[in-house]
Every structure is written in C-alpha cells, then in structure tokens.
Amino acid sequence: MKKQFKSACAALILSLIFLTISVLGQGKLEDYQRAWSLREKYESLVSNVPERPVWIEKAPRFWYRKTVKGGQEFVLVDAEKLTKGPAFDHQQLAAALNKETGEKFTATTLPFRAINFVENEKYLEFEFKDSVWRCDLASYELKKTGPARMRSGQRDGWQDLSGPPAQAASTESKASPDKKWEAYIRNYNVWLRSTETKEEFPLSRDGSEGNYYTYQSLLWSPDSKKLLAVRIRPGFRRLVHYVESSPADQLQPKYFSIGYTKPGDPLPVPQPVLFLIETRQKIDIDNSLFPNPYSLTEFSWRKDSRAFTFEYNQRGHQVYRVIEVEAVTGKPRAIINEESPTFFCYSSKKYRYDLADGKEIIWMSERDGWNHLYLYDGQTGQVKNQITKGEWVVRSVERIDEEGRQIWFLGSGMYPGRDPYFLHLYRVNLDGTGLETLTEVDANHTVTLSPDLKYYLDLYSRVDLAPEMKLRRTEDRQVLLELEKADLSELKKAGWRAPEVFAARGRDGQTDIWGLIIRPSNFNPKKKYPVIEYIYAGPHSSFVPKSFFAWNQMMSLAELGFIVVQIDGLGTSNRSKAFHDVSWKNIKDAGFPDRILWHKAVAAKYPYYDISRVGIYGTSAGGQNTLAALLFHPDFYKVGFAAAGCHDNRMDKIWWNEQWMGWPLGPEYEASSNTVNAHRLRGKLLLVVPELDTNVDPATTYQVVNALIKAGKDFELLVVPGANHGSGGVYGERKRNDFFVRHLLGVNPPDWNRLDIKLPEPRPSFLPRTPEEIIE
C-alpha cells in the first residue's frame, strides 16, 4: 500500500511538473504583444501577391493590384503586345489626392483597392471617403463625380420578405418598347396611357390595399402587345426592435425597428397576371404549378414575345421549377422541374442559362448525387444530355460560348488523393464531349477569362504555396507571361509557419474530412498544446482556407500558446449531395462526429496535440455551432466562445434557416435549439451579443441566457453596445483570448486594468482576402 501511494504521489508530481513546463511562457503579456503585432509584421514582409485581375472593356488589356514593400501597386498589362507596367503614375495621383483632401498618402499607400478605366482609358475612377473620384490621366486633375456605391451591410430591409409595400399610385411609368403606351399604378391597379391620344384606362380593377399590383413587376413584351404584372397579397411583417444604448451624438438612447421575416412566418402570395393590350384582356395565370411560393423570380419575356418565363421556389425548398407561360392563352407549363427529398440548394447551386431564346437551357442539378450541368430541350422540357458527370462537382459556370457550343466552368474533386476543394478551370462541349483541364498545378485556382476568350489569367496558390499568376493563351494553353510570383523569403525568416493541411476519415470510415493546423511561431514539439477549433459550419458553403494567406486571425490566437485548427465536416457544401444532406433538419450535427475523429487522428500522429483540453469558437452560425459543441459533445469540447449565434433557428432569418431546417416547422427545430438544450451545459462558456445585430436577432442570445439562468448554469456574457453583427471587435477578441488562456492554459491572463494598455486598432491590409473570408 505504501509503495502504491508513493508511486501515485510521484506520478502526480511528475504530471504537475510537466504541466508547469508545458504552459511556461504561454499566455503572458509578451505573448499577447507578439500576437497583436503578428498581422502587421507578417503582412509587411510579403510582396508581389496579386489580386484577381480585371479586363478593361473592349480592350486586350487588364489591370490588377499587388502588394509591394510598404503597400500596394496597380499594374497594367497588354495581352497582345505582352507589355507590363504601372497602371498609372502612382506618385502623381497621390500628390493630387493629398492636395484635394489634405491627407498624406504615398505612391504605395493610396486608399483604394479597385480602379476603373473609362472613356477609352483617358480617365481613371476610384472610390474614397464615400465619393467616386475621376482622375484625368493626362493632367492628373481630380474631381468628384458622385457618391460611392452602397457597401454590403448598408442595405435596408434585406431580412424583410413580407413583400414590397403597397403603393396606391406610382410616380413613374414604364413605356412600351414601341413608345406608344405607358404603364403605371393607380389606386393599386394597373393603368395604361396612350402617348398619342393621352387616353388613360385601367387594365385591372381587382387591386386593393391588401391585394395590390406593384410598379416594379410591370414588364412589357418586346412586341409591345402584352404586359406582365404581379399582384401581391402581403405576408406578415415582423419587426425586430432595437435600443441603441450609447449613441455617439447624444446622451439618451435611440430606438429603431427593422422588418425581419423568420421561419414559419406567413409569406406574401404573388400572382402573375397577363394583359393583352389590343383586347384589354386580363388573364390570371393558373397557379396549380406554383401553389405555395417561397418566391417567384426571374420574370423574363422571350425575345419573340411568344411567352414569358419565371422561376418558382416552393416553400420548403424541395421543389424548384422553371415555368413558361404562353403569351396568347396564358397557359403555364413547367419546362424544368427539380425536386429533392431534402433540399434544392437554390441559394448557391442554382444555375440556368437559356440558349437561342429558350430553345435549349443549361441547368445545374445534384440529381445524380453530385453537382453537375444538364442540357434541356426548351420546347419539350426533356433532358437532351448530361453535360458533366462523375464523382466531382461543378462549382460555378464562368462563361458560355454559344457559337462554339462550349461551357467554361470551375470544378473541384476530380483528382483522387488531392484536396477535393481545390478549384480548377475546365472546358466542355454542350453535348458532354471534349472535357479538358485548363489548369494543371495542384493548387486552388482563381481564373479570369478575357472577353473574347483568347486568353485566361491563372492565379493559383495553396496555404503552403506562394501565389503565382500567369497569362495563358486559350488556343494551346501556352504561358505568354509569368506575371507574378510572391516573395516569401523575408516572411519565412521572420518565423512564419505555413499551416499544415490534414485529412482524416469521417464517421462513415470512407469519406475524407479536410482541415488545417496552425501552430505558434515559437512552436516546440516537446511541449503539450491545448487545441482550439475555429468553427463555421453553415451549410451554404465550405470554409477552410485553400489559398495562401500571410496572416489569419487563427495565427494570432495560436501565438498565445495554442494549436488552432479549422475543419469542414459533413453537412457543409462543395462535396457530394449525401455529404451536404447531413445538415438537413439537423443543423446541430455540424459535422461534430467527423470533427472529433479528425482531432483524434491528429492526436494519434502528434503527441503534443492535447485533446484533453479542447476549446472552440465561432461567430454567427459558428456561434451556434460553438454552443452546440458544448451542449451535445461536452466530453470532448470543454471551453467555448460563442459570438452573435443564431441559437434557435426559429429566431433567425427565414431564407437561411428554412433552407436547411425545412418547412413547415417541425420538432427538428427544438432538437437543434441551443436554447431548449441549454440545461445540458457542462463546460466553460462565454457568450457575446452585439447590441445592434441586424443579421441575427440579438434576442436569440438573450433567450439562451434566460434558459441558462433558469437551469442554474455558470457562464459569462459580453454585451457590446452599438455593435452590429460580429464578435465584439478587438475588445471581444481580447476577451476571447483571455477566456481560453484562463480555462485551457490554466493561467491568469494579464491584469489589463492595472496595465492600462490601449487595445491596438487593426490597420488596413493591402493583401487580398481569401475566397473563404469573402464567403463567410
């Protein structure tokens, strides 16, 4: 007994010594400071990283932006002359802009990332401080020409699907192509005015405040003999209310509301109506083919005015139809009928292209289990042939060459043993023959085609391969110009480590699950490192970076003494339909069985990968996933930082949630609800709620808080006044870092109140964003 006791004590002492050694130098102030400076340090050391080029309209030239030491540079290339040089005089433009604005820009720090050549390349346009500026390239004189275009996030009412508001009378009219008629709205009805006699008369009389015609829907046939309109019976307009507690311009709070349609809400009912002008006949289109619309979109007349078409997305997203309506009788028929027992992914995999005024149609579908292209006979509604096929997927159609009857598209997953998410450019004939690869390098390719298809620009990289860009000739795929190759030499000298790509088998024992591993710059394989997973498992795409990046926020987190990983599990997109369908009515799954197996496979290979201390964090859908990890897999995930999470899919925006969770609302919504399952919490949780989140209703986080309090659970909550959708900015990131340092490293973070250190504000980056960052 004494020997056993001594052995146990010795083992405990050794464990404590090892733990002390393993966290030595981790989570300290110097680690935070190194993490804060990492982005600026790394991004300043990489040069010649190009962004996707842009062809100049009606010219064999293109421009692109690239990083240089201290900033950026714009380059102009002539594909015919094979010349390359600065797109403009950067020094002159900087001086002119400084003169107009009082700023102090240099040739390499111009404050815009995009340019536009106009008027035969005599002028250059760019945006700065909410304005469009025009530069005369002969004199370098500058002038403002108008407001900048609206940015993402500035849209008003983008979550409101209750229907366009009723308009008793339109202030404008829509002229017929022959200019003989003007159509407009009066007293909620469609009216017509003769431009010759000025006679006015109603085409409809059934419009009212609760069942009205909309001006936006008025669509003339090319022959001016028919007019299409849509009558709307509005849905329920739900409002989400906000209190801005700390406005910058006054002491007292402000209040506002936005329209926000949620799963299960009654939607507007659109009814297409056809008017025959000569007889003034009104035809309500029979809705038996579109009885329960989530939406009717893409209204368009055939060029010969024989018919019009529109697309019907049935509520629940299991039926999607392309409908053609005969223009004389108003009789509808379905020329494409797409049905799925789970979901038709209209939000990211719907593609249609009409050839020869609808005589043929190119259509994208996952009906054979993989995302492919089909050629339809537009007159019979039958499939003429499948254009692409195989256990790989079409990711996007880049160009249709009607004359050559070819399709240029990006695809992935065609090469066994390679990363199945890498994008490659392909070309194939419409009859399915002649498939050829136009990009060979084992990397992720961003391709830009010239308008005449004579050339293409191939920009490729991997997370462990520096970006390269080449100008190639389509005819023989010959490389005409080696445009750029990023220089990483200084970056590597500074201690930069490329992420490791890692694949392991998922829950079925057959499917490879892909992710990446990020280690700290001072990584020591003799230490044990806690693991933190960055998660975003939204089913609308895949999210693990595939292209090069010098810095990623995961790197700064790793610098505190962690290994940080990101994984695409089952239920995300861009693999097979079966892979994607795991998310169907089961958003809580989030691929966790695959993720856990992936972690275990890494730990089996690397002894320093400590899966007894696993944290997880994410924002938006990733916030929901993070809390779900702690609730449904508490034996594996111990610490979570959940920001702006949609914790109950009934509380979030309709379009995203009904797409995956289905309609009508069923018990699956409660089964996946973090709010309903909050009582399961066992690990350490920090919730973040942005006060003015117009993407995810902040109430969903407060409802989780309420459920946790009722269940007597301990947790932390950060409310960020004035913040919209996100994780709380630099303060939220510091709170996240502190939370992981405290609960995974087992040490106290720096005492920020005593140190009185101002949080560093992020500086503008000149490096291009990865496609995954843009999607997310």
Side-chain angles (χ1 to χ4, degrees):
M1 289 290 290
K2 287 182 179 180
K3 286 183 179 180
Q4 289 176 342
F5 179 74
K6 287 181 180 179
S7 298
C9 288
L12 178 61
I13 291 169
L14 286 173
S15 298
L16 290 171
I17 292 171
F18 183 78
L19 181 62
T20 302
I21 294 172
S22 70
V23 301
L24 190 62
Q26 296 175 334
K28 291 185 176 182
L29 177 60
E30 52 264 38
D31 298 312
Y32 279 84
Q33 291 172 326
R34 191 172 63 253
W36 288 339
S37 64
L38 203 65
R39 178 179 186 176
E40 185 176 351
K41 174 184 176 182
Y42 282 172
E43 291 188 346
S44 67
L45 294 174
V46 61
S47 57
N48 298 329
V49 176
E51 202 164 47
R52 183 173 188 162
V54 177
W55 286 91
I56 299 172
E57 188 175 0
K58 298 179 181 179
R61 290 176 291 282
F62 59 90
W63 66 267
Y64 62 90
R65 191 182 65 88
K66 70 171 186 175
T67 61
V68 295
K69 189 173 183 180
Q72 63 179 352
E73 179 181 277
F74 294 85
V75 180
L76 182 66
V77 179
D78 191 307
E80 289 184 352
K81 297 178 181 178
L82 299 182
T83 57
K84 169 187 166 186
F88 53 87
D89 189 318
H90 293 62
Q91 188 63 52
Q92 275 203 67
L93 183 50
L97 190 57
N98 291 342
K99 181 180 177 181
E100 291 291 332
T101 63
E103 301 283 353
K104 295 181 179 180
F105 300 116
T106 68
T108 58
T109 61
L110 289 166
F112 48 84
R113 299 169 67 97
I115 58 177
N116 184 31
F117 288 98
V118 295
E119 295 190 25
N120 296 320
E121 301 172 57
K122 294 179 181 178
Y123 299 92
L124 182 77
E125 290 186 339
F126 60 89
E127 293 183 8
F128 173 60
K129 285 193 174 180
D130 301 323
S131 297
V132 175
W133 294 70
R134 176 173 286 199
C135 175
D136 185 325
L137 291 176
S139 64
Y140 279 83
E141 292 182 359
L142 284 175
K143 67 175 182 179
K144 294 182 182 180
T145 60
R149 70 187 187 280
M150 185 174 287
R151 305 290 188 199
S152 174
Q154 290 178 295
R155 295 171 295 169
D156 224 7
W158 68 289
Q159 308 284 29
D160 185 1
L161 301 185
S162 60
Q167 186 180 22
S170 58
T171 57
E172 299 176 287
S173 60
K174 291 191 178 180
S176 60
D178 63 8
K179 308 301 181 184
K180 292 181 178 181
W181 300 101
E182 293 175 338
Y184 56 96
I185 302 297
R186 177 184 291 177
N187 193 27
Y188 308 103
N189 280 287
V190 179
W191 280 64
L192 214 58
R193 179 192 302 120
S194 168
T195 58
E196 297 175 358
T197 67
K198 305 304 179 184
E199 177 193 6
E200 296 179 299
F201 55 88
L203 288 177
S204 72
R205 299 182 186 275
D206 54 351
S208 66
E209 294 89 338
N211 197 20
Y212 46 85
Y213 290 87
T214 65
Y215 174 78
Q216 293 83 357
S217 71
L218 298 177
L219 188 64
W220 283 99
S221 62
D223 64 5
S224 300
K225 294 181 179 179
K226 281 85 67 174
L227 178 67
L228 168 65
V230 177
R231 190 175 64 244
I232 299 286
R233 190 174 74 232
F236 170 65
R237 188 164 192 261
R238 180 183 298 280
L239 295 177
V240 172
H241 306 283
Y242 295 84
V243 177
E244 185 178 2
S245 66
S246 311
D249 58 348
Q250 67 182 50
L251 175 63
Q252 298 300 324
K254 292 182 178 180
Y255 312 91
F256 67 93
S257 302
I258 64 169
Y260 192 108
T261 309
K262 295 186 178 184
D265 284 351
L267 290 176
V269 179
Q271 172 60 55
V273 180
L274 175 65
F275 298 101
L276 307 182
I277 304 305
E278 289 183 5
T279 62
R280 302 187 186 181
Q281 184 181 358
K282 168 180 169 290
I283 304 173
D284 280 23
I285 308 304
D286 179 8
N287 72 349
S288 57
L289 286 174
F290 50 98
N292 183 23
Y294 172 82
S295 64
L296 302 182
T297 58
E298 307 295 333
F299 285 92
S300 177
W301 280 96
R302 295 303 188 194
K303 294 177 183 177
D304 63 5
S305 300
R306 72 183 186 275
F308 67 86
T309 62
F310 62 92
E311 297 182 10
Y312 166 62
N313 185 359
Q314 184 164 293
R315 189 148 192 195
H317 310 297
Q318 294 176 287
V319 176
Y320 199 99
R321 293 183 178 127
V322 178
I323 295 174
E324 184 179 81
V325 179
E326 206 277 327
V328 176
T329 65
K331 184 179 180 180
R333 68 184 181 103
I335 50 178
I336 293 178
N337 185 60
E338 192 74 41
E339 298 190 19
S340 171
T342 55
F343 55 82
F344 173 69
C345 190
Y346 77 96
S347 60
S348 59
K349 295 181 182 176
K350 196 274 294 184
Y351 180 82
R352 167 191 162 199
Y353 188 94
D354 292 3
L355 295 158
D357 201 22
K359 291 180 181 177
E360 293 179 308
I361 301 171
I362 299 168
W363 182 251
M364 185 181 285
S365 172
E366 292 183 287
R367 64 187 59 173
D368 74 346
W370 302 84
N371 199 43
H372 283 300
L373 297 170
Y374 295 78
L375 183 64
Y376 269 80
D377 186 316
Q379 296 175 320
T380 66
Q382 299 298 311
V383 174
K384 295 181 71 172
N385 59 268
Q386 185 171 348
I387 301 170
T388 60
K389 63 181 66 176
E391 293 188 356
W392 51 275
V393 296
V394 173
R395 297 280 292 276
S396 66
V397 175
E398 297 298 295
R399 191 78 61 84
I400 303 292
D401 179 3
E402 294 193 40
E403 185 177 343
R405 292 188 66 80
Q406 290 183 321
I407 301 177
W408 302 62
F409 67 93
L410 294 176
S412 60
M414 194 178 290
Y415 305 104
R418 293 187 183 182
D419 190 321
Y421 296 94
F422 282 167
L423 291 168
H424 286 271
L425 178 67
Y426 300 94
R427 182 172 57 183
V428 67
N429 298 321
L430 289 182
D431 63 5
T433 64
L435 177 67
E436 61 177 320
T437 307
L438 299 171
T439 52
E440 304 87 5
V441 177
D442 182 19
N444 198 39
H445 294 259
T446 299
V447 179
T448 308
L449 304 172
S450 67
D452 57 9
L453 293 176
K454 288 183 180 179
Y455 311 98
Y456 62 100
L457 292 149
D458 183 12
L459 168 58
Y460 61 87
S461 69
R462 298 191 305 259
V463 294
D464 58 354
L465 178 69
E468 294 188 38
M469 187 165 72
K470 300 175 181 180
L471 171 65
R472 305 181 71 170
R473 184 166 54 210
T474 302
E475 183 181 13
D476 54 8
R477 292 183 286 179
Q478 181 179 339
V479 175
L480 302 179
L481 278 178
E482 302 270 358
L483 292 167
E484 302 293 344
K485 183 174 182 179
D487 182 359
L488 308 186
S489 56
E490 294 299 316
L491 188 64
K492 292 178 179 178
K493 287 178 185 176
W496 180 84
R497 290 175 172 271
E500 178 185 352
V501 177
F502 193 89
R505 292 293 167 87
R507 71 189 82 176
D508 60 3
Q510 298 177 341
T511 305
D512 282 336
I513 304 300
W514 290 73
L516 56 79
I517 303 169
I518 293 176
R519 300 171 175 86
S521 61
N522 59 358
F523 172 72
N524 182 348
K526 295 180 180 179
K527 292 183 178 181
K528 285 281 247 186
Y529 288 87
V531 176
I532 300 176
E533 179 181 343
Y534 172 50
I535 188 168
Y536 191 96
H540 55 283
S541 191
S542 53
F543 304 97
V544 174
K546 300 299 172 183
S547 300
F548 172 83
F549 54 86
W551 175 89
N552 180 291
Q553 49 88 15
M554 291 184 283
M555 289 178 164
S556 291
L557 180 56
E559 210 64 16
L560 299 179
F562 304 107
I563 291 177
V564 184
V565 304
Q566 190 175 357
I567 309 160
D568 280 320
L570 289 174
T572 50
S573 190
N574 298 325
R575 301 284 289 276
S576 69
K577 177 65 169 148
F579 190 105
H580 201 185
D581 278 349
V582 170
S583 63
W584 171 240
K585 293 188 175 183
N586 190 23
I587 207 81
K588 74 174 183 181
D589 181 278
F592 282 121
D594 317 294
R595 296 169 186 275
I596 292 170
L597 288 172
W598 188 94
H599 283 289
K600 290 180 177 178
V602 178
K605 182 176 181 179
Y606 300 120
Y608 52 77
Y609 192 89
D610 187 357
I611 56 173
S612 70
R613 294 179 289 162
V614 179
I616 186 168
Y617 73 103
T619 301
S620 195
Q624 179 184 20
N625 303 145
T626 294
L627 181 49
L630 269 61
L631 299 180
F632 301 112
H633 304 277
D635 292 332
F636 191 80
Y637 295 98
K638 306 296 173 47
V639 184
F641 173 91
C646 39
H647 296 293
D648 188 311
N649 298 96
R650 296 167 296 183
M651 288 290 293
D652 196 30
K653 64 196 81 65
I654 185 174
W655 70 266
W656 196 87
N657 294 274
E658 284 192 6
Q659 167 86 97
W660 322 117
M661 293 298 291
W663 180 90
L665 275 60
E668 300 86 1
Y669 278 83
E670 284 199 4
S672 285
S673 168
N674 290 342
T675 307
V676 173
N677 292 282
H679 63 277
R680 297 173 178 267
L681 182 67
R682 283 163 44 190
K684 304 295 183 181
L685 171 65
L686 171 54
L687 292 165
V688 178
V689 55
E691 181 182 61
L692 304 181
D693 192 338
T694 57
N695 186 329
V696 174
D697 184 351
T700 187
T701 295
Y702 291 124
Q703 289 177 359
V704 168
V705 168
N706 183 50
L708 290 169
I709 291 172
K710 287 183 176 179
K713 298 295 181 177
D714 286 331
F715 63 97
E716 294 186 27
L717 172 67
L718 172 62
V719 180
V720 188
N724 207 321
H725 195 60
S727 56
V730 291
Y731 184 80
E733 290 177 10
R734 197 192 74 187
K735 291 290 286 185
R736 178 200 67 197
N737 296 346
D738 290 352
F739 198 69
F740 286 134
V741 164
R742 186 179 295 112
H743 295 296
L744 289 178
L745 291 179
V747 299
N748 288 323
D751 187 338
W752 303 111
N753 291 348
R754 291 188 62 188
L755 292 170
D756 195 26
I757 294 176
K758 186 178 179 181
L759 290 171
E761 289 295 328
R763 297 190 179 186
S765 171
F766 291 109
L767 282 173
R769 290 192 297 167
T770 66
E772 294 78 17
E773 287 177 312
I774 295 169
I775 290 169
E776 188 174 333

